[in-house]
Amino acid sequence: SSPNDGENVSQAYFGEYLNDLRHGKGKFVAIDGSSYEGDWEHDLFHGNGSLTTGNSKYIGAFHRGLRHGKGQI
């Protein structure tokens, strides 16, 4: 039995696509409630955005899916 049995669990992306990949501006919300809102390039966080996970939030630059440069936590 899964701890999610009976629950409506999903993840969602709202934003722009290019060639069926997340690309441009968008927001992603994961099953665990973490989220990213900002720039996407070829399905990865890339550019400026805001990443919220658990009790932390990072606002700043991303490069190929990873935090990059200066940002605020």
Side-chain angles (χ1 to χ4, degrees):
S1 167
S2 164
N4 295 321
D5 283 350
E7 292 182 24
N8 183 14
V9 178
S10 65
Q11 57 187 23
Y13 172 75
F14 305 96
E16 300 171 325
Y17 287 88
L18 178 66
N19 298 325
D20 293 327
L21 298 175
R22 295 171 286 195
H23 193 91
K25 301 282 186 189
K27 180 175 183 177
F28 174 76
V29 180
I31 292 170
D32 65 4
S34 60
S35 65
Y36 172 79
E37 184 167 9
D39 300 326
W40 293 79
E41 186 172 294
H42 305 293
D43 227 29
L44 298 172
F45 309 158
H46 192 86
N48 292 310
S50 172
L51 177 64
T52 304
T53 56
N55 295 337
S56 69
K57 183 172 187 172
Y58 170 82
I59 301 170
F62 291 83
H63 182 76
R64 296 184 180 169
L66 302 173
R67 292 186 291 192
H68 181 76
K70 295 183 179 180
Q72 293 178 293
I73 295 179

